[in-house]
Amino acid sequence: MKRRFFLLGAPAVLAGCAAEPIWAPDNEVNRWRYRHDGPPAITLYTMISNDTDAGAHSGLMINASERILFDPAGSYHFAETPERNDVFFGITERIRDFYERYHSRVTFRVVAQEVIVTPEVAQTIYNRALNFGAVQKANCTRAVSTVLQDLPPFQNVGVTWFPKTLMRDFEDIPGVKERLIFETDEDNKDLALKAFNAEAEFNARQATKAAN
C-alpha cells in the first residue's frame, strides 16, 4: 500500500523558502503570453537518469487561460519565456518542444504525462503556481505536487519529494496520456540552448527578409 502525505488547502506552504525571487515586468510578460487552443490540461514532466534510473526533476505545464510552465528550482531559462518565480510564460508549441528536448539527452530521459481537466481546475492550478513563490533547490517535486492538492482528478496524488513517486501517482489517473522523450545529445544542456538560439535567430532573419 502506498504511503501518501497531503497538505490540504495550503498550496503556498513552501513559498517561504529562501530562494531568489524573479519577477519579469508586465511589458515582457504581456509580449510573450500564449493561449493554446487545446483543451485545459495539466502535463507533468519527469526527468529520469538513464544511468541510475532515479528521478531527477519535475516540471508542470499548465494550459489554462494561457499556457505556462511551472519549473520550480529548475535550470531552464530562455529570453522568449519571461519568468515570475519559477513560472514561465509564452509556452508555445515551439517552446514546449524545446523544453522537452532541452532536458532529454544521453544521460536523461523525459516522461510527459498529460491529464485533461476542467477549466476551473486548470485555472486554480495556474493561480497556485503563480502565487507559490520562488522555490529552493531540491524542492521541485514537492512544489509541483503541492499545487495539485485536493483538486480533481488529483485527489490521490500525494505531496512528495520524489519525482518518480509523483510520476507513478499520475499513472493511476484515468485518461492520462503518456509520452517518452529520449534523445542521444551530449550531456550538455548549454549546447541545446545555443542550437535553439541559433535557429531562432536564423528564423528571425528569414522573416525580416520576407517582410522586406
Side-chain angles (χ1 to χ4, degrees):
M1 181 177 178
K2 295 180 180 178
R3 294 186 64 195
R4 301 183 184 279
F5 302 88
F6 297 92
L7 296 178
L8 299 179
V13 166
L14 301 179
C17 295
E20 181 180 357
I22 297 174
W23 197 262
D26 288 347
N27 62 325
E28 279 297 299
V29 172
N30 291 333
R31 177 186 178 190
W32 296 108
R33 289 186 189 276
Y34 170 71
R35 181 162 186 167
H36 186 58
D37 59 4
I42 304 300
T43 303
L44 173 68
Y45 288 108
T46 306
M47 293 60 168
I48 302 172
S49 169
N50 290 329
D51 296 327
T52 66
D53 203 42
H57 184 61
S58 299
L60 204 67
M61 186 169 67
I62 304 163
N63 190 35
S65 55
E66 62 181 315
R67 193 160 73 175
I68 61 172
L69 179 69
F70 184 39
D71 192 55
S75 61
Y76 169 81
H77 296 281
F78 188 63
E80 292 183 22
T81 53
E83 177 187 357
R84 286 184 170 175
N85 290 339
D86 296 314
V87 170
F88 295 86
F89 297 83
I91 309 303
T92 63
E93 281 296 280
R94 174 172 162 268
I95 296 297
R96 175 199 58 75
D97 179 64
F98 170 63
Y99 177 80
E100 293 174 0
R101 293 188 292 114
Y102 172 78
H103 286 94
S104 178
R105 51 199 188 277
V106 68
T107 50
F108 289 90
R109 64 190 183 275
V110 178
V111 176
Q113 295 167 296
E114 181 188 62
V115 179
I116 306 300
V117 297
T118 66
E120 294 77 14
V121 166
Q123 196 62 35
T124 298
I125 295 172
Y126 170 103
N127 291 331
R128 287 181 176 184
L130 189 58
N131 293 322
F132 197 88
V135 179
Q136 274 190 325
K137 293 296 182 185
N139 281 265
C140 58
T141 304
R142 190 162 187 191
V144 167
S145 57
T146 298
V147 301
L148 302 171
Q149 289 305 290
D150 71 352
L151 294 171
F154 307 108
Q155 298 97 324
N156 293 322
V157 171
V159 172
T160 179
W161 296 92
F162 304 107
K164 290 185 73 175
T165 298
L166 181 57
M167 182 184 74
R168 286 191 289 268
D169 280 355
F170 259 66
E171 290 174 352
D172 294 335
I173 297 174
V176 63
K177 296 180 180 178
E178 185 169 303
R179 291 184 295 117
L180 174 65
I181 302 99
F182 187 95
E183 297 188 351
T184 56
D185 296 341
E186 290 186 47
D187 187 20
N188 187 337
K189 288 188 287 189
D190 289 339
L191 295 178
L193 181 58
K194 287 179 181 178
F196 188 79
N197 281 330
E199 179 185 348
E201 291 172 5
F202 175 80
N203 291 336
R205 288 196 301 270
Q206 294 301 105
T208 300
K209 288 180 181 179
N212 294 333

